[in-house]
Amino acid sequence: MKIIILFFVLYLCFETFGYVLPEVKDFKYTKQSLEYTYDINSAYYTKWNFEYNNYDLVFECKNNSILRTCTADMSNETAKNLYGYARACVTDKNGESDCLMGVTPKYYPKPIIDGDFKPSTKGSPTILKGYYLATGATFYTIIPDTRVQFVERMSSDKFDPLNLLLEYQGGCGTRTFVLRNGFKYSFNHSSPKIDNISIGTSSIISSGSNFCNSSDSVEIYLDGVQIDKTNIKSIDHEQFEINYIQEYSKSIVVNIVSGGLESNKFKLDYKPTPLKINSVPRLKGGSITIFGDRLSSQLNNSTIIVKFGQFDCKNVISSKNEIVCNLGSVPNVEKVKLIDLQVNISINGIFNENNLLFSFDTPIISDFILPQGEVKLVGDCFGSSQITQVYIDDVLQSNITININERETTLSFKPIHPIKKSKLFLLVNGTKSNTIEIDSSFYVKSVPSFPSVNGQIVNFTLFNINPNNYNKIPIMNFQDNSSIEAIDYKNSNEYSTHTYSFAIPKGCGRIDIAISIGDQLTRTENFYELPIISSCSIVSNQMIKCIGNFTNYLNLFKNGKIKIQFSNMIIIDNIPKNPVIFKSDSFSFPMKPEYSSSDISLIVCDETSQSLKVDITPLIKFVNQSPVFNSTGGELLINGENFNENTIDNTSVYCFLNKQVYNCSFVNNTSISCSIKLEGPFDQICKIKFNGKEEKYNVSISYYPPLVLNSTMISNSSIGGIITIFGNEFYNQIDLITVGKSKCLNSTFINSTSISCFVEPLDFNIIQSEKQKQQYVNITINGKRGGNNLIIYSGNSNKIDENNKSNKNTIDDKQANNEIKNESIKIKRNYILFIILFSTIVII
């Protein structure tokens, strides 16, 4: 048996090496043909037989004395059959053929690729289009040694060598296909695409395609800046996540470069997210506070717009987690929605999306404290002491005195009995507030109530101390987490109500305090002492000077903790060589034109001192004593200093001719406007009464001369005609109207912008040039003149008249002919009727 096998192997070797192989001198392959060139004495291919489909590709050969060229024509139908390996029929120089050997691999045509091969990085069956894609091949190899199989078997009817479906397993960057015939084809993948990005707590997560699955193969950019690869939390072909925190509202642009290919640029908006909002009374408006995330921008000149439904919230101040703005009152509520209004915030054009709602007049209790044994609720829309009701454990508290501040943000009352772990809510105009749990059984009172800003020992009496806490030391805690221990005042042996001393530190304004002893705790508030202004006056150097004891407040002023409030504004220290002076016994600041009589006070750490009235006499600086008005009147502007709204109550203008008084209106602290609805054309002498006193000078009001703008035209210059002149400052007192050298007679005043009149006939023809058509139209009213060059005449009127006459004669002739025809028809009709009637009588 072994001898037989050995013999068979030797036979095959002999047969193989005994064949004469073709020696191709040159070969060309296109979509139209395969062409092989041989030496005339070389063996050559005459036919290829493809084994999978038993298809024969036949070559037609032509010779010359040196070379032989063999060609196979190509078409789509032919190319569809050229796949897999082929067995060749080889003919030698003697014309003998042998069809047993395979085609030498290097002589297979190389693939001609149509378009780009761009598979996904994840990998999937992908079509490679072209010619000769599977000719002499049953798979592709990606350098160095990754095999890519065909999806369909060559024996399948679905196999299409022109649209070759490859089982691509994925990858990143540029890769290269190779075949045994020396073919090489480099390709990259489809470009990465970002479809969506979601925002996580501390990251952003992008979904899309073709991201690769290795951070080494990608670059991720935010606003054009590449992020450090250590911030790439995870990456796969269809998703990547990066570490990123954005505390402000802004837009960023995200893109990724994967395998050298750049993705689209995805704009991601970090939107403001309002989470909580208070309420304000409809009739008063007030301060709105919105809590949330990304409620501000990093840009200095940001545009922040806050709206609740149709209502604008103005004077917006924002930080990362808070927006404060002012919402005006809404006096008229007819057909206006006041509850469940959508909160809309726009920060540099970026809008919030969450559905936070705002409602007017919604009582909200946000906190409570127990100052001096009272219960003080903090919140919004508490109404008034006359209408608001307090319920404790669902029982109306009818015997308590309620105090509510003007802004309706605090409500305080002294309970008849200590409140022990009870539920409390308010009823305001029939609207119920939220419910809080309250316990007022343990409370404190302090003496003095207003400690010095330099610090002071203050005695606090603790009421209703539990027996198990008698020997404990009270502790006072502040908002900055600092604390101090009490000193036993030892005023009594009664420990259920006992007084302790606390060394209150330096400070200013209002302080929140929590006092605990053992397992009992109460929260209260204290206010540092405020300065008292004794008197104010305007001193000789045009300074406003106020007297008082300000020794304890010098450092606070230096540190910017004290503001001067006057004339509805905060006094700013910004006048060179004339600053605000703050001393131990007085403070002073420069007089300004915009100041007026008003209250002055000091704001110390957001708490306002008692105010004092400062009187400033307003002063007129300039009035235009010769104003020119239009036909319906005008505005007289009074400029000066230190005006206020009370000044206009005694300011007016009296005009002598019509004996009328015209009231004035307040514009600002330096301007007053007087609207004088006084028609011309007669000039007026008027007198100003300012702040209750008549000024010594008169105001002479004059009126603009007539202004001519346009007019209608007439067609017959020889007979004249009526025109209407348009313009301004026309009155019924018309002295004269001329058109060129002609008078315009019978003038009629229509209104302040139009007048009509009859233009006299001309005794000369109008030449047809635009310049010579223009006539100067002049109007004199009450001695004042105004005019303009206008086109008055439209053309030669004689020709127009002749045309009209000719047309009229033609129409008349046609009418006469029609009447003759009608008369003739009438006679004929009567004659025929006569004959018919006569014949009928004869027959009868």
Side-chain angles (χ1 to χ4, degrees):
M1 186 64 183
K2 292 180 181 179
I3 295 173
I4 296 173
I5 294 173
L6 178 62
F7 176 77
F8 181 70
V9 170
L10 292 174
Y11 171 76
L12 290 177
C13 292
F14 173 78
E15 288 292 322
T16 300
F17 290 107
Y19 293 148
V20 178
L21 296 176
E23 294 181 4
V24 178
K25 191 174 185 68
D26 187 22
F27 74 96
K28 301 175 183 178
Y29 54 95
T30 67
K31 290 184 178 182
Q32 289 73 40
S33 65
L34 293 181
E35 182 181 286
Y36 291 81
T37 302
Y38 310 89
D39 288 327
I40 192 66
N41 294 321
S42 170
Y44 55 93
Y45 294 128
T46 54
K47 182 176 69 174
W48 289 355
N49 176 262
F50 289 86
E51 297 176 349
Y52 280 99
N53 56 351
N54 195 27
Y55 179 80
D56 289 336
L57 179 68
V58 178
F59 292 90
E60 296 291 336
C61 298
K62 295 180 180 179
N63 306 334
N64 59 29
S65 59
I66 301 173
L67 301 174
R68 176 180 286 108
T69 301
C70 298
T71 304
D73 291 334
M74 196 57 56
S75 66
N76 276 0
E77 289 303 317
T78 301
K80 281 184 179 180
N81 291 288
L82 308 185
Y83 55 87
Y85 298 118
R87 184 170 293 277
C89 290
V90 178
T91 301
D92 62 16
K93 62 182 179 178
N94 299 320
E96 294 183 3
S97 296
D98 196 328
C99 296
L100 294 178
M101 72 170 57
V103 176
T104 303
K106 66 180 181 179
Y107 294 146
Y108 281 117
K110 296 176 182 178
I112 299 174
I113 307 297
D114 287 341
D116 293 326
F117 179 69
K118 292 186 175 181
S120 70
T121 61
K122 184 179 180 180
S124 63
T126 307
I127 294 176
L128 181 65
K129 294 186 176 184
Y131 270 47
Y132 317 123
L133 303 179
T135 305
T138 57
F139 60 86
Y140 277 60
T141 299
I142 295 177
I143 295 176
D145 56 4
T146 301
R147 180 175 292 194
V148 180
Q149 301 288 355
F150 302 160
V151 173
E152 303 292 345
R153 293 177 177 270
M154 289 186 175
S155 57
S156 170
D157 293 338
K158 297 180 180 180
F159 185 79
D160 184 357
L162 302 185
N163 297 279
L164 187 61
L165 193 60
L166 299 178
E167 190 66 72
Y168 186 70
Q169 298 299 318
C172 294
T174 302
R175 309 185 82 187
T176 302
F177 282 140
V178 294
L179 293 177
R180 292 175 61 195
N181 61 358
F183 169 74
K184 287 186 178 181
Y185 174 71
S186 295
F187 65 91
N188 208 328
H189 301 77
S190 294
S191 295
K193 182 185 178 185
I194 300 174
D195 294 328
N196 188 43
I197 295 180
S198 59
I199 299 173
T201 305
S202 59
S203 65
I204 59 176
I205 303 169
S206 173
S207 59
S209 56
N210 302 308
F211 296 152
C212 289
N213 59 351
S214 170
S215 60
D216 294 334
S217 302
V218 301
E219 300 166 4
I220 299 175
Y221 293 85
L222 300 181
D223 284 337
V225 179
Q226 184 181 352
I227 69 167
D228 194 288
K229 293 195 176 186
T230 59
N231 285 320
I232 301 177
K233 292 182 68 175
S234 63
I235 186 165
D236 203 348
H237 298 288
E238 296 177 339
Q239 179 176 294
F240 65 81
E241 181 177 5
I242 61 174
N243 294 317
Y244 185 75
I245 296 175
Q246 181 52 256
E247 297 179 332
Y248 296 92
S249 178
K250 68 173 296 186
S251 295
I252 62 171
V253 175
V254 183
N255 68 300
I256 183 172
V257 176
S258 170
L261 300 174
E262 187 174 4
S263 74
N264 57 313
K265 290 179 170 60
F266 192 96
K267 182 184 175 184
L268 175 63
D269 289 335
Y270 271 87
K271 300 178 179 181
T273 306
L275 300 175
K276 184 181 178 182
I277 189 170
N278 64 317
S279 180
V280 294
R282 171 182 63 83
L283 294 175
K284 297 179 181 179
S287 179
I288 295 291
T289 302
I290 304 171
F291 296 99
D293 298 322
R294 294 187 293 275
L295 299 182
S296 184
S297 170
Q298 289 176 302
L299 301 178
N300 292 328
N301 297 320
S302 294
T303 301
I304 302 178
I305 300 172
V306 180
K307 293 178 73 73
F308 311 129
Q310 69 187 57
F311 303 105
D312 293 316
C313 201
K314 299 179 180 179
N315 303 322
V316 178
I317 300 173
S318 71
S319 62
K320 290 185 295 185
N321 303 109
E322 182 178 280
I323 285 179
V324 177
C325 58
N326 186 64
L327 186 61
S329 61
V330 185
N332 185 9
V333 297
E334 185 178 355
K335 297 182 180 179
V336 176
K337 186 179 179 182
L338 298 172
I339 62 172
D340 295 337
L341 303 174
Q342 186 74 41
V343 176
N344 295 310
I345 301 174
S346 169
I347 301 178
N348 297 325
I350 303 174
F351 293 85
N352 65 300
E353 285 185 345
N354 63 311
N355 295 320
L356 181 65
L357 301 177
F358 167 81
S359 297
F360 284 98
D361 296 314
T362 302
I364 300 172
I365 305 173
S366 56
D367 197 6
F368 77 93
I369 55 176
L370 303 172
Q372 303 297 99
E374 291 189 339
V375 174
K376 183 176 182 179
L377 305 179
V378 181
D380 301 287
C381 301
F382 288 158
S384 67
S385 57
Q386 291 78 25
I387 62 173
T388 300
Q389 297 173 320
V390 178
Y391 284 80
I392 298 176
D393 291 335
D394 295 326
V395 177
L396 174 62
Q397 306 298 298
S398 56
N399 296 323
I400 60 174
T401 300
I402 297 174
N403 294 304
I404 299 174
N405 70 342
E406 184 181 355
R407 293 187 300 161
E408 301 183 26
T409 55
T410 63
L411 180 152
S412 59
F413 65 91
K414 188 171 184 178
I416 299 173
H417 303 289
I419 304 170
K420 294 185 178 182
K421 293 184 179 179
S422 298
K423 295 186 182 299
L424 181 149
F425 68 85
L426 304 178
L427 198 63
V428 183
N429 279 327
T431 303
K432 183 180 177 182
S433 74
N434 58 311
T435 301
I436 64 169
E437 188 172 285
I438 187 170
D439 188 331
S440 70
S441 58
F442 175 60
Y443 62 95
V444 301
K445 290 183 179 181
S446 63
V447 178
S449 300
F450 301 98
S452 168
V453 293
N454 289 327
Q456 186 176 353
I457 299 294
V458 178
N459 296 327
F460 284 81
T461 301
L462 282 58
F463 295 85
N464 301 317
I465 303 173
N466 290 336
N468 58 332
N469 295 324
Y470 286 169
N471 296 322
K472 303 292 178 62
I473 298 176
I475 297 175
M476 180 179 290
N477 294 284
F478 300 95
Q479 280 189 312
D480 61 0
N481 295 323
S482 63
S483 61
I484 55 176
E485 288 188 355
I487 301 171
D488 191 347
Y489 191 62
K490 296 182 179 178
N491 63 326
S492 157
N493 292 325
E494 174 57 51
Y495 285 97
S496 64
T497 299
H498 203 79
T499 301
Y500 298 87
S501 298
F502 291 89
I504 302 299
K506 288 183 179 182
C508 60
R510 176 182 177 274
I511 51 173
D512 286 310
I513 296 172
I515 296 178
S516 62
I517 181 169
D519 58 2
Q520 290 178 280
L521 183 141
T522 186
R523 290 186 301 120
T524 184
E525 64 182 356
N526 261 67
F527 293 88
Y528 284 96
E529 186 179 23
L530 291 170
I532 298 175
I533 303 173
S534 302
S535 64
C536 291
S537 61
I538 302 173
V539 294
S540 58
N541 58 350
Q542 284 298 296
M543 297 283 284
I544 298 176
K545 185 174 182 179
C546 296
I547 306 300
N549 183 4
F550 309 120
T551 303
N552 293 337
Y553 302 93
L554 295 176
N555 288 331
L556 290 174
F557 181 80
K558 291 178 181 178
N559 295 328
K561 301 288 187 179
I562 295 180
K563 300 174 184 176
I564 303 171
Q565 182 172 267
F566 178 63
S567 197
N568 297 320
M569 62 185 75
I570 301 298
I571 307 305
I572 300 174
D573 186 8
N574 63 354
I575 301 178
K577 298 182 180 179
N578 206 3
V580 174
I581 301 172
F582 198 93
K583 298 166 37 174
S584 61
D585 59 351
S586 66
F587 65 85
S588 57
F589 54 94
M591 185 73 164
K592 289 185 180 180
E594 57 265 31
Y595 295 161
S596 62
S597 296
S598 59
D599 290 338
I600 190 168
S601 59
L602 294 175
I603 301 175
V604 183
C605 296
D606 298 325
E607 295 298 324
T608 304
S609 71
Q610 187 174 353
S611 62
L612 184 73
K613 182 67 176 292
V614 179
D615 290 321
I616 298 177
T617 303
L619 178 67
I620 290 180
K621 287 287 189 179
F622 174 77
V623 175
N624 184 359
Q625 297 182 31
S626 302
V628 181
F629 284 2
N630 60 30
S631 58
T632 59
E635 298 284 332
L636 183 65
L637 194 65
I638 301 173
N639 294 319
E641 294 178 352
N642 313 124
F643 297 162
N644 60 27
E645 294 191 27
N646 295 327
T647 305
I648 64 169
D649 291 340
N650 297 310
T651 301
S652 60
V653 177
Y654 175 79
C655 295
F656 293 98
L657 188 63
N658 65 343
K659 298 180 180 180
Q660 290 288 325
V661 176
Y662 300 94
N663 293 322
C664 303
S665 60
F666 177 79
V667 178
N668 53 43
N669 296 107
T670 59
S671 299
I672 291 175
S673 176
C674 306
S675 179
I676 302 177
K677 302 297 182 183
L678 186 60
E679 294 184 359
F682 302 107
D683 295 345
Q684 299 276 345
I685 301 297
C686 303
K687 198 82 172 176
I688 295 176
K689 184 179 181 181
F690 174 72
N691 205 28
K693 296 180 181 179
E694 286 191 358
E695 295 295 308
K696 296 179 180 179
Y697 51 83
N698 292 330
V699 175
S700 299
I701 298 175
S702 60
Y703 290 84
Y704 289 108
L707 175 65
V708 176
L709 297 175
N710 206 341
S711 74
T712 58
M713 292 187 292
I714 56 177
S715 60
N716 194 334
S717 61
S718 62
I719 64 173
I722 295 175
I723 63 171
T724 300
I725 304 170
F726 303 103
N728 283 309
E729 319 306 334
F730 295 164
Y731 304 94
N732 205 9
Q733 292 77 19
I734 303 171
D735 298 337
L736 177 66
I737 302 177
T738 58
V739 176
K741 297 180 179 180
S742 299
K743 290 184 178 180
C744 204
L745 307 176
N746 301 325
S747 60
T748 301
F749 174 77
I750 300 173
N751 54 42
S752 63
T753 60
S754 56
I755 292 174
S756 68
C757 61
F758 179 80
V759 181
E760 288 184 323
L762 295 179
D763 56 358
F764 60 89
N765 291 327
I766 301 300
I767 300 173
Q768 297 297 308
S769 72
E770 290 298 324
K771 184 174 181 180
Q772 290 172 324
K773 279 184 184 180
Q774 291 184 345
Q775 306 292 314
Y776 187 78
V777 178
N778 182 74
I779 299 177
T780 304
I781 296 176
N782 195 34
K784 297 176 181 178
R785 296 180 179 181
N788 199 357
N789 287 310
L790 302 178
I791 298 173
I792 300 297
Y793 304 104
S794 61
N796 193 328
S797 60
N798 292 330
K799 289 184 178 181
I800 295 173
D801 290 344
E802 289 175 3
N803 289 336
N804 289 340
K805 185 175 181 182
S806 175
N807 291 338
K808 185 176 185 303
N809 290 337
T810 302
I811 292 170
D812 290 343
D813 290 344
K814 286 183 179 180
Q815 284 181 330
N817 290 335
N818 287 337
E819 287 176 1
I820 293 170
K821 281 184 179 181
N822 291 337
E823 188 64 29
S824 176
I825 291 168
K826 186 176 179 181
I827 293 170
K828 288 180 181 180
R829 185 177 60 197
N830 292 338
Y831 179 72
I832 293 169
L833 288 173
F834 173 76
I835 293 174
I836 293 171
L837 180 62
F838 179 77
S839 301
T840 303
I841 294 171
V842 172
I843 292 170
I844 294 172

